[in-house]
Amino acid sequence: MMWGFKLEFKQNLRTKKFWLIIVIMAVLYIPSFYFMKSFFLQSGEHITNEAAMSMLINSITGMTSFFVAILALLIGATAINSEIEKGTLRIAMSKPIKRLHYIGGKFLAHCLVLLIALLFSTIVSLLGILYLGGSFTTQLVVDVFLLNMLLLLAMIQLVALGYIISTVIKSSNTALGLAIILMFVIFMIVPSIVNFLAIKNTANSPNANIEEMQKLQKEYTTKYLFYDPISQVKVITEDVSTTLSKNPRDILNVRYNGVAYAIRNNLTNFAHIIWLTILYLSIGFYRFVKMDLR
Amino acid sequence: MILRIEGLVKNYGDVRALDGLNLEVKQGQVYGFLGPNGAGKSTTILGTVGLIFPQKGRIELFGTEVFNEGKYDENTLVEAKKKIGYMPEHATLWDFLTPVQTLDIIGEAFKIPKAERSKKIEEVLKLVGLWEVKNKKVGNFSKGMKQRLLLAQSLINDPDFLILDEPMTGLDPSGIAEFKNVIRDLNKEGKTVFFSSHILAHVEEICDTVGVIVKGKIRLEGNLETIKREFLQKAGYTIILETTRKVSFEDAEWKVTPLGEKKYRIVTSHDIREELHDFVASQGAKILTMQVKEPTLEEIFIQMVE
C-alpha cells in the first residue's frame, strides 16, 4: 500500500490544481482579515477570545468548504481515468501490487494532500486571529484539530464521490467537467434553493422569527441535503458558538460551545457524512478492483 | 511452459475482442504476436498481466493457473508478476520523474533492496542507452527516448518472461536495430520474449515462433518458415513468356490477367510455380522471367479476415 501512497503523494504535490487552490486561499484570507481588523478598529470594540475562536471556526469552515472541496472533488474525479489515459496505471498495475493496495495507497495520499491544504488554511486563520488580537488556548488547539478532522472527513466524501466518477467516465476532461457541474449544482445551487424554501416557509408561518427560520433551515439541510457534506459541516459548526445578542450581526457577543459540543449536538449530520463516505469509498474501490484498466 | 492461454473470450460491450483464443509460449522462445490493428493483440497481453477481466477461458503463467472463468487468483498473479517484465503500448511514464527516479520507484514495487536497485538501474539504463540522460526529467524526452525508458522499466526486475506490446512503435531505424539486438541478447541470457507487432519486418530476424491473430483468434502459428510458406501460397505471379505461338490459359484453374502480348498476371491460393512451368511447356512455350510477388502482411490479414 505504501508504494501507491508514495507515488501518488509525490504526483499530487506537483499538480497545478493543488498549488493554485493554496495560492487562491492565501490571496483571499489576507484581505478578509484586514477588513475585519478595520471594522473592529472603526467600531472601537475589543475582540474577546471566545469571539476570536468563533470567527476562526467560521473562517476555516467557510474558506475550506469551498476551495478544498473543489480540490477534493477534482482530485477524485481524475484519479483513475487520467492515469489510464496516460498509461501509467497499466505500468503500475503490471507490477506485483494488488489492486486494493494500490487504490488504498492512492486514497491515503489524497487524504494527506487534503490535510496539508486544510492545515495551510488553519495556520493562515490562526495567524489571522492573532493579528485580530486573539490568543492561543488549549481549547483552541483541540478544537482546530477536531474541526480539521471533521472537514477532512467531509472532503474524503468528495474524493470518494470523485473516485466513482473517475471509474465510470473514461475521459478525464469529461469527468473534470462533470465534477465542476456537480460542485455548482448539487453543492451550491440546490442548497441555496433548500435555504430559500426554509426562509419562505418561515415567512408564511404566523409566529415567524429568526430562531424559527434557523431551526427550519437546519431541519431541511439535514433532510434534503444529506448527500452534501459541506452543508452538513456547516450545520454542525453553526453550533460551535451561540450568539447572545438579539442582533445576528453582532458577531462579538457570543458564547463559545466548542467543536466537540457541536458534533454531539448534531449526530445525525455527522452520521450522514460518515455513512455516505463509507458507501462512496466502497463503490469507488469495488469498481477499481473490478474494472478493465485499458 | 511459460504462458498457456485456453479459450480466452473477451467482449467489450457488443464487440468480441477475443474469441476463444488459444496460445502457448514455451521457455526460451522469442514469440512474435502478429495481427492487424484491432485483432486482439493488446487485449491478449492485458489479460495475461491481469489488467482486464476476460469473460471466459484460462490463463497459466509459469505452469500455475492465474485466471479461470472470469476470475483472477490475485495472490498467484502477484507472484507471477514478480517474474514478468511488461512494456505497454502507448504509455508514458511519470513526467516529473527522472529515469533514475522512475526505475527506483518501479524497483521498489518489486522490493529490490536499495543497493542492488542502484546497480540494476545503472545496468538497465546503459543497456537502453539512457545513462547519459539519467537525471533529466522524463517530460522532456522524445518519443524514442520514452520507448527506451519503457523497455528499461520492464527489465528492472530481471524478468524471466518479457511481454512487449508494439515495442518498436516510435523508434527510428537505428533504434529498431538496437532494440532487436537487445531482444537477441536477452534471449541468449535465457529469457522468454513475447512481443506483438503489426509489422512483419519487426518480427523477422529475431522471432523463432510467430502467431497471427485475426478477429480474436489465432489463425496461423508456427515457426517463421512455415508462415512464409503460407504467405507464398497466396502469392501472385507475373510471367513473361518466350514463345512464337499464342499460349492459351483457358483451361487453367488460376485467375490469369493478360498484361501484354506475352506478359501475364496470375493469382492463386497455392504455390503453382512447378505447375506453371509444365503448363506453359505443354503448349511449346517457355517462361522467360517469373516475378513472385509476396503479399504484404496487411494483404494476408485482409485475406484471412475475408
Side-chain angles (χ1 to χ4, degrees), chain B residues 56-215:
Chain B
K56 272 185 191 171
R58 267 185 87 245
I59 301 173
E60 256 182 39
L61 278 164
F62 307 104
T64 313
E65 186 178 272
V66 294
F67 177 86
N68 194 356
E69 297 303 320
K71 273 184 192 161
Y72 284 99
D73 179 337
E74 213 177 359
N75 290 327
T76 319
L77 182 66
V78 164
E79 280 308 306
K81 279 181 186 175
K82 287 179 184 167
K83 295 184 269 181
I84 291 177
Y86 165 62
M87 177 180 171
E89 187 194 9
H90 302 311
T92 56
L93 285 150
W94 299 275
D95 282 355
F96 58 91
L97 298 176
T98 65
V100 171
Q101 290 167 335
T102 304
L103 298 186
D104 189 57
I105 205 149
I106 288 173
E108 228 183 300
F110 287 99
K111 296 190 171 68
I112 303 169
K114 186 80 184 159
E116 196 185 317
R117 209 153 71 209
S118 304
K119 243 194 266 173
K120 192 71 196 168
I121 289 170
E122 184 178 340
E123 182 191 315
V124 167
L125 284 179
K126 280 181 178 167
L127 183 76
V128 298
L130 289 178
W131 182 243
E132 300 300 313
V133 290
K134 61 181 186 290
N135 292 321
K136 294 217 165 117
K137 290 269 188 291
V138 175
N140 302 322
F141 279 15
S142 68
K143 172 98 171 92
M145 287 161 92
K146 283 180 180 172
Q147 282 293 101
R148 286 160 190 259
L149 188 57
L150 278 173
L151 176 64
Q153 65 79 33
S154 69
L155 297 172
I156 196 71
N157 58 323
D158 199 11
D160 294 336
F161 184 32
L162 205 51
I163 302 174
L164 314 168
D165 196 358
E166 301 270 1
M168 288 178 253
T169 312
L171 292 180
D172 56 24
S174 69
I176 291 174
E178 275 176 42
F179 185 88
K180 284 180 178 175
N181 283 336
V182 170
I183 299 285
R184 269 191 214 105
D185 291 344
L186 290 169
N187 186 239
K188 272 182 204 158
E189 286 173 24
K191 298 191 191 310
T192 308
V193 184
F194 178 82
F195 80 91
S196 73
S197 179
H198 62 278
I199 299 165
L200 179 63
H202 287 172
V203 302
E204 278 181 322
E205 300 172 39
I206 51 169
C207 289
D208 42 46
T209 311
V210 172
V212 181
I213 179 174
V214 178
K215 287 190 172 176

Side-chain angles (χ1 to χ4, degrees), chain B residues 25 32 37 48 78 106 125 139 153 204 220 229 234-235 241 247 255 265 278-279 283 297 301:
Chain B
V25 180
N37 292 329
T48 305
V78 164
I106 288 173
L125 284 179
Q153 65 79 33
E204 278 181 322
L220 212 56
R229 247 196 325 272
K234 292 178 174 59
L241 302 177
V247 175
K255 190 185 167 196
R265 167 104 184 118
D278 294 345
F279 185 85
Q283 296 191 46
L297 195 58
F301 290 151

Side-chain angles (χ1 to χ4, degrees), chain A residues 3 93 95 98 292-293, chain B residues 10 53 75 81 105 153:
Chain A
W3 187 77
M93 296 318 302
K95 309 307 169 211
K98 287 185 177 175
D292 286 343
L293 305 176
Chain B
K10 175 64 187 172
F53 288 85
N75 290 327
K81 279 181 186 175
I105 205 149
Q153 65 79 33

